[in-house]
Amino acid sequence: MRVLVTGGCGYIGSHTITDLTSRGHEVAIVDNFSNASPAVLERLASITGVRPISFQADIRDRAALLSIFQEVRPDAVIHFAALKSVGESWEQPLRYFDNNITGTIVLLQVMHECGVRKLVFSSSATVYGMPESCPISEDAPLRVTNPYGRTKLVMEELIGDLCAADESLQAAVLRYFNPVGAHPSGELGESPSGPPANLMPYICQVAAGRREYLNVFGNDYDTADGTGVRDYIHVMDLARAHTDALDALNTCGESFTVNLGTGRGYSVLELVKAFELASGRLIPLRFCPRRAGDVGACYADPSRAAERLGWTAQFDLARMCEDAWRWQCRHPNGI
Ligand code: NAD
Ligand code: WQD
């Protein structure tokens, strides 16, 4: 298929492009580089042997997007482009609503106008808010707790209504749990701008000596060691699920929503220990109060993804840490 990837130079998009390309799909990227570097394109070329066609444009720019669609004539769209920081979304909620929701509406309009009927959409476990219990299935109540999560829920709802109104449009909504790790080459990975908000990139920077210690947000949760438990998933496993989702849309011809996680939760301290083993570095810790809005435990029931996509995660926590550390060592300042 010819696939247009919005946000394709970002963390998850770039890894997904390596999987799409290795499985014979043609890829075109649209990215405004608000959180990515064009250098990713060279890395993709050296990893895959193919330099993807890319367009620098904002998905909210309807005229630009329309002309990209007319030039590329995609069979399907994978839509990663979004702002993704929970903390920043409290500081600039309108920017998040506009970038994520307006951007998605413009994309859906242009898809409609150009007759593109297949969409894979990046959603997030954030739509479950404070889950009542774990593992979390796709039927769990949806109740978001921050403006970023709100954008994901609204976009899921818009896409759901659109698919209900027009059966020829098919969407795969993928709810990621906690993506971590990097491409095994060490040439693609996560490049947070400013101090990392997420655990794995923060640990990487402590191990590299860029930060003195890791703040552990809360050790009084109702978990085995008191620290927060999450379902970390290797970004290459996540990448593979996108190509599988495209295949599933082609074969089953109907829309679906699936969780993408391993189904196994690890605590902050377990992740730290695994990282210390993988890197041979000590991670000094400082215990602090809970972070506002955090839940104690959050991990997926991934059985629907196994049924729908034939997909299960393959990489374990050790491998997530090894690959994240390789990326950190090879590219200490990000891309
Ligand atoms: P990222 O910031 O690395 O990638 C997003 C890409 O989209 C960037 O390259 C950015 O430049 C681009 N972009 C943003 N707004 C745009 C716009 N208006 N027009 C064109 N390009 C735009 O983020 P990521 O971690 O790769 O996340 C990809 C998707 O997955 C996002 O939708 C995010 O909400 C979702 N997600 C991420 C996580 C995570 O922890 N990384 C978890 C769950 C869901
Ligand atoms: C993991 C655990 C923290 C940093 C976020 C978004 C979610 C999704 C994925 C996009 C928690 C603890 C963290 C630190 C710590 N993104 N922690 N010290 O919060 O599960 O999910 O990213 O959709 O929407 O909310 O991930 O990596 O921030 O935290 O102790 O410096 O690590 O308290 O228990 P989270 P995270």
Side-chain angles (χ1 to χ4, degrees), residues 230-292:
R230 296 290 184 275
D231 190 338
Y232 298 99
I233 170 148
H234 197 295
V235 66
M236 291 307 295
D237 275 328
L238 205 58
R240 182 167 45 86
H242 291 75
T243 319
D244 293 343
L246 275 184
D247 289 348
L249 286 179
N250 272 331
T251 51
C252 78
E254 59 180 39
S255 298
F256 56 88
T257 298
V258 294
N259 287 336
L260 295 177
T262 64
R264 164 88 154 87
Y266 287 97
S267 72
V268 174
L269 298 184
E270 285 174 314
L271 181 56
V272 167
K273 203 168 176 183
F275 196 92
E276 287 181 334
L277 272 174
S279 64
R281 300 283 172 101
L282 198 68
I283 308 296
L285 305 179
R286 181 176 284 190
F287 290 95
C288 331
R290 294 179 178 194
R291 185 172 64 179

Side-chain angles (χ1 to χ4, degrees), residues 9-11 14-15 37 39-40 43-44 47 180-192 200-202 204-205 208 210 234-235 275 279 319-335:
C9 285
Y11 173 47
S14 59
H15 289 79
S37 160
V40 166
R43 304 280 168 79
L44 284 170
I47 289 170
V180 295
H183 191 271
S185 64
E187 295 303 313
L188 289 175
E190 192 172 6
S191 306
M200 182 69 101
Y202 205 100
C204 283
Q205 293 194 4
R210 282 179 66 184
H234 197 295
V235 66
F275 196 92
S279 64
R319 182 64 191 271
M320 299 180 210
C321 295
E322 283 158 21
D323 287 340
W325 180 233
R326 185 180 304 106
W327 159 249
Q328 175 67 42
C329 294
R330 290 175 80 108
H331 297 281
N333 300 312
I335 285 284

Side-chain angles (χ1 to χ4, degrees), residues 86 124 126 148 178 197-199 215-217 228 230 232 291 294:
V86 170
S124 166
T126 196
Y148 163 71
N178 289 60
N198 296 115
L199 182 59
N215 293 303
V216 177
F217 298 141
R230 296 290 184 275
Y232 298 99
R291 185 172 64 179
D294 268 0

